[in-house]
Amino acid sequence: MADVILFSIIFWFLYILEVKGMHPQEFRSAGITLTHIIKSYGWLGFEELDFVGYHVRRTTVLTALHSLLPLCYLIGLQVLEPSINVLMPWKSVWYVQVVVAILLLSVGTGFSVSAWWYAGNYSNHPLIKELSSFDQPLHITRSSVNCEYRSLNKFLSILGSHSVVVTDTWIMRIGPHSVRVLRQYDAVLNVSKADEHVLSVDGPTSAQYLTIEVISVNVKVKSFNIRLNALEYGQLKERVSAPLRTARSVIIQQSLSDQFVRAFQERVTENGNFSLSQGSQIPENCIGCLQIQSNIKLQKMCNDPEIGPCVQCSCRPLWCLSCMAKWFASRQDQNNPQTWMAGTAPCPMCRATFCVLDVLLVTR
């Protein structure tokens, strides 16, 4: 009986980890998950090429396999303790019959759901139904999601068993058994909760996690929640065009890098401006983010031209203030953030040394 108890504890512990997608990082790295095993045989296709098809197949197959796992438990019990008669419950005691009936019911339910999703070329799958709810043909919606997922500019956050993807048009939440999709202009985002943890799954330090409500204004599509690390909130704001609100009771912690970028920007606004000459070329978009027009010029202002470590930079405006601030922070001693503002950094292009006093905003 001790073997049965130990087997039951281990099996159901691993079962919960698999079904909830809470695998340890070591399991994921070694590929010891059903998703990795199925994917290795090529049954799911490629997520980068066909995002919708991949996840429709993945959720259907996983739901079926997860529903069949209790049968493995019954077989294991029979091998360890044949007297229990789990494979012939009519010969066993009543509580064994109840356990077997519950497990078989869950198996039948899960397998029936998977079969229903698979029927009609997955036309009954929740993701396909949700994509069909938008005011355009399904194949156009599906193509839009697939194409934008391949974009290098998308926001991607992975937290535990769920992933959050934000593209130019779509907000998506990917879970073990479901995928939710909503267009940005049909959504209103509300940061409803922030909770702090002394230990986090992302490392040995404390972390703050945000719960964000993705509220749908499309009556055909239900709202859903997403969850991410507070350190990724700034990146999310850059990608989201939908209204983004924060509850009054929520205080979002900024990363050290974000705090420095804000202080760097405030200091640069006090340095003065660099005026472009008449007929000069209009600055192109920043080569760092490709989203904002280049708006800073490095001009030695801290000392006389021949004094100090800083030298004159001859590059034309190629960077925005935010990207230059991040570059400047990345070149500092990460163990001594109190010295960052007084430090120097090389120009990303010509390697000329500059300090914060040498960064000027471009005007015409």
Side-chain angles (χ1 to χ4, degrees):
M1 185 58 68
D3 293 340
V4 171
I5 296 176
L6 180 61
F7 169 73
S8 299
I9 294 174
I10 295 175
F11 177 88
W12 290 113
F13 174 73
L14 295 177
Y15 179 80
I16 293 173
L17 289 182
E18 171 61 39
V19 172
K20 294 293 185 181
M22 300 185 298
H23 312 92
Q25 185 59 42
E26 293 75 14
F27 279 41
R28 298 177 188 272
S29 301
I32 310 176
T33 65
L34 278 180
T35 301
H36 282 85
I37 294 173
I38 298 168
K39 187 177 180 180
S40 65
Y41 285 97
W43 296 343
L44 303 181
F46 296 95
E47 184 180 28
E48 295 78 10
L49 299 179
D50 183 12
F51 174 86
V52 175
Y54 172 88
H55 285 286
V56 164
R57 291 186 289 271
R58 179 188 64 82
T59 52
T60 301
V61 173
L62 279 185
T63 299
L65 292 179
H66 287 165
S67 68
L68 292 175
L69 286 179
L71 289 180
C72 299
Y73 174 70
L74 295 179
I75 295 173
L77 285 182
Q78 184 65 35
V79 172
L80 291 175
E81 193 65 40
S83 61
I84 297 180
N85 285 325
V86 292
L87 298 184
M88 293 182 290
W90 57 89
K91 295 183 178 180
S92 188
V93 295
W94 67 270
Y95 53 83
V96 173
Q97 295 175 352
V98 172
V99 171
V100 172
I102 293 175
L103 293 179
L104 291 179
L105 180 62
S106 67
V107 169
T109 302
F111 203 77
S112 298
V113 169
S114 299
W116 171 252
W117 289 353
Y118 177 77
N121 195 23
Y122 298 102
S123 61
N124 298 317
H125 194 282
L127 177 57
I128 298 299
K129 288 187 174 181
E130 191 160 72
L131 294 176
S132 301
S133 301
F134 300 104
D135 53 356
Q136 57 186 6
L138 174 61
H139 71 278
I140 296 179
T141 305
R142 184 167 179 165
S143 177
S144 173
V145 173
N146 289 339
C147 290
E148 293 197 16
Y149 183 78
R150 290 194 290 268
S151 171
L152 298 178
N153 294 326
K154 65 177 179 291
F155 169 81
L156 174 61
S157 172
I158 301 175
L159 183 60
S161 61
H162 286 76
S163 303
V164 176
V165 178
V166 179
T167 66
D168 292 338
T169 307
W170 303 96
I171 301 173
M172 297 176 276
R173 186 193 69 187
I174 305 168
H177 303 102
S178 65
V179 178
R180 298 301 313 277
V181 178
L182 184 62
R183 284 186 301 203
Q184 289 214 40
Y185 59 80
D186 285 337
V188 175
L189 278 66
N190 180 47
V191 183
S192 59
K193 182 181 178 182
D195 50 278
E196 299 181 16
H197 299 263
V198 177
L199 295 176
S200 74
V201 296
D202 299 321
T205 59
S206 61
Q208 183 187 49
Y209 297 100
L210 305 177
T211 300
I212 303 176
E213 299 174 341
V214 183
I215 303 171
S216 173
V217 298
N218 184 342
V219 295
K220 297 180 180 180
V221 182
K222 294 182 180 180
S223 304
F224 56 91
N225 292 342
I226 59 176
R227 187 171 168 83
L228 50 84
N229 193 309
L231 300 181
E232 300 174 311
Y233 181 69
Q235 301 175 41
L236 176 69
K237 288 179 63 177
E238 294 177 358
R239 295 301 306 162
V240 169
S241 58
L244 180 56
R245 305 177 303 207
T246 304
R248 291 184 178 181
S249 59
V250 175
I251 300 177
I252 302 174
Q253 296 179 352
Q254 285 188 314
S255 67
L256 185 61
S257 177
D258 290 339
Q259 295 177 39
F260 176 79
V261 168
R262 176 174 294 185
F264 187 93
Q265 292 172 335
E266 292 174 355
R267 183 64 186 85
V268 168
T269 57
E270 301 174 2
N271 289 346
N273 298 324
F274 177 86
S275 299
L276 295 175
S277 59
Q278 292 291 335
S280 60
Q281 182 180 358
I282 298 177
E284 301 175 352
N285 281 359
C286 167
I287 62 175
C289 63
L290 301 176
Q291 296 180 0
I292 303 174
Q293 187 180 48
S294 304
N295 59 2
I296 63 102
K297 174 73 172 73
L298 299 182
Q299 183 84 11
K300 182 172 170 58
M301 302 292 290
C302 55
N303 286 301
D304 292 336
E306 304 300 328
I307 300 177
C310 298
V311 296
Q312 179 60 39
C313 172
S314 58
C315 298
R316 61 189 176 88
L318 293 171
W319 298 80
C320 69
L321 180 54
S322 177
C323 287
M324 184 59 73
K326 294 175 183 177
W327 164 261
F328 191 92
S330 70
R331 310 304 295 179
Q332 308 306 309
D333 182 359
Q334 302 302 306
N335 295 322
N336 295 289
Q338 67 275 9
T339 65
W340 290 6
M341 195 64 75
T344 61
C347 168
M349 305 302 295
C350 70
R351 320 309 290 180
T353 303
F354 72 96
C355 66
V356 65
L357 297 176
D358 301 330
V359 183
L360 304 180
L361 288 171
V362 172
T363 59
R364 291 187 63 84

